[in-house]
Each structure stands twice: as C-alpha cells, then as structure tokens.
Amino acid sequence: MTIRIVVAATGTDVGKTVFSAALTNALDGYYWKPVQAGLANETDAETVNRLTRVPESRILPERYRLNTPASPHFAAEIDGIEIDAKTLSPFGLPTPLVIETAGGLMVPLTRRLLQIDLLAQWRLPVILCASTALGTINHSLLSIEALKRRAIPILGVAFIGGENADSERTIATFGAVRRLGRLPRLDVLDADTLQSAFAQNFSVADVLDIGAVGP
C-alpha cells in the first residue's frame, strides 16, 4: 500500500515544517510541499533537506513557487498567476510521501478554493500539528471540527513546544483524536537532534496505524 500523509497545522509558524522533516526522515520517504509562498529566505523544502538524511532527490519540487510570503491566493495574484487545483494531485510513489500544506487549513489557494477543500478532494490521512502555547485548545478543536465536517481522515495530533499535558489531553478528549506525541523545541536544531527527539517522542507504528484513523 502506498503511504501518503498530509501534515497540516492549526496556523502559521506552529512548526509543521520541522515536524514534516522529522517524519520524512523517520519514514525514509519523500517530501512534497505543493505551494511555497515566500522565496527570499530558506524555503520549507530547503529546510527539510537540511534537517533530514534522505537523498536530495526525495525532496520533490514545489508545483508553485510564489515570491511573496503571504496567503497563496494573494501571493499568486501578485505574481500574476492562478493556482490550478487540478495540478496539485499527490504523487503515487513506492515509498512513503509526506505532503506539507501551506499555513493553516483555511488558507485560500484561490479566490474560490480553500486549502481544506483540496484536502477533502484528496481524502488522504492528516496529521494536525498544534502548538502547546496559550490558545491552542481553541485553534486545535476548530481545526479538528473543520476536518471532520469534510470527512477528512485524521491520524492524530502532533504537539509542538513545551510540555502542556492538560491542553494536550483536553484537545485529544474533546476532539476525539489521538495524541501522537510532542516534539519539543530544540536549542540546537539539526538532523541529529531532530531525529533523536522524534524517536524519543513518537512511534512510527502509531503514526502509520491507519486503522486508528478517525473520520
């Protein structure tokens, strides 16, 4: 069975790119970010390449590379193009593929299409990355509800940040989703420290337990 997993987040700068790198490395798979908005600094694909040990050829090229760090629909308009959802079909590969979304679930890709609507077309299992900071309960439960309303399968929630056991338990309970683990913020972030932190806090077998996926 071809394994394709979408890594989404409750918002921007939660840490899903770092988590995507850790997951890609743990699965010895491929990574793909369909839409990259903002090219002035290190792109998300370049970050994943730096933080993993998978061959560079497994970091697949973005379908859209937009210059402005903004919502994809607006960044595309500035560049004079329109994102075509039909060109964003996930690859079928013999090894696992990790697909990273752009920003939060409700980010518009065009003036007519939200990112979550594209995920609803794909029907691929989603890992939701959530911060452990203040406000995460509200953001996470709203995101979980939005996924469930569209019958998008949820593998579980990956928390990122300092320990916040009550918030993590509350989100898992009210959202009726699995807590997959928590990736702490690392003082030194490189391929070695990230691989070690992921191995200590996550189980690949749990992540791939498709039978435990909730609607």
Side-chain angles (χ1 to χ4, degrees):
M1 180 179 66
T2 300
I3 297 171
R4 295 179 293 175
I5 297 173
V6 175
V7 176
T10 58
T12 302
D13 294 330
V14 167
K16 67 177 166 47
T17 298
V18 173
F19 178 82
S20 295
L23 182 61
T24 301
N25 201 63
L27 297 177
D28 192 26
Y30 284 73
Y31 166 88
W32 183 44
K33 177 147 190 173
V35 180
Q36 171 68 45
L39 303 177
N41 300 312
E42 185 177 57
T43 66
D44 292 337
E46 289 167 345
T47 297
V48 171
N49 186 46
R50 175 170 58 83
L51 293 177
T52 65
R53 292 192 175 84
V54 300
E56 188 172 356
S57 59
R58 292 193 183 181
I59 310 299
L60 302 176
E62 304 93 333
R63 179 61 184 84
Y64 294 94
R65 290 172 56 86
L66 309 172
N67 288 293
T68 305
S71 177
H73 78 290
F74 186 51
E77 288 176 353
I78 292 172
D79 285 357
I81 63 173
E82 180 172 345
I83 294 172
D84 183 355
K86 293 191 290 292
T87 68
L88 299 177
S89 298
F91 297 85
L93 297 165
T95 56
L97 171 64
V98 174
I99 305 170
E100 182 187 354
T101 62
L105 292 168
M106 292 293 185
V107 165
L109 295 176
T110 72
R111 294 287 175 181
R112 299 174 299 280
L113 182 73
L114 297 174
Q115 185 165 240
I116 195 170
D117 296 324
L118 181 64
L119 301 188
Q121 294 175 24
W122 289 355
R123 285 289 187 270
L124 296 176
V126 171
I127 293 177
L128 182 67
C129 291
S131 168
T132 57
L134 184 65
T136 190
I137 294 176
N138 179 66
H139 299 157
S140 298
L141 292 180
L142 285 172
S143 296
I144 291 166
E145 182 175 301
L147 289 167
K148 288 188 173 185
R149 281 190 62 190
R150 292 163 175 80
I152 299 170
I154 306 172
L155 276 168
V157 179
F159 292 96
I160 300 173
E163 183 178 2
N164 191 335
D166 184 75
S167 289
E168 296 172 39
R169 182 171 61 252
T170 300
I171 290 165
T173 300
F174 277 99
V177 293
R178 294 189 300 159
R179 175 193 180 277
L180 298 177
R182 178 180 61 85
L183 189 64
R185 301 287 182 181
L186 302 174
D187 293 332
V188 177
L189 178 59
D190 57 29
D192 290 332
T193 59
L194 182 58
Q195 180 179 14
S196 177
F198 187 88
Q200 291 173 23
N201 292 282
F202 291 87
S203 164
V204 172
D206 284 347
V207 170
L208 297 182
D209 187 2
I210 304 298
V213 171

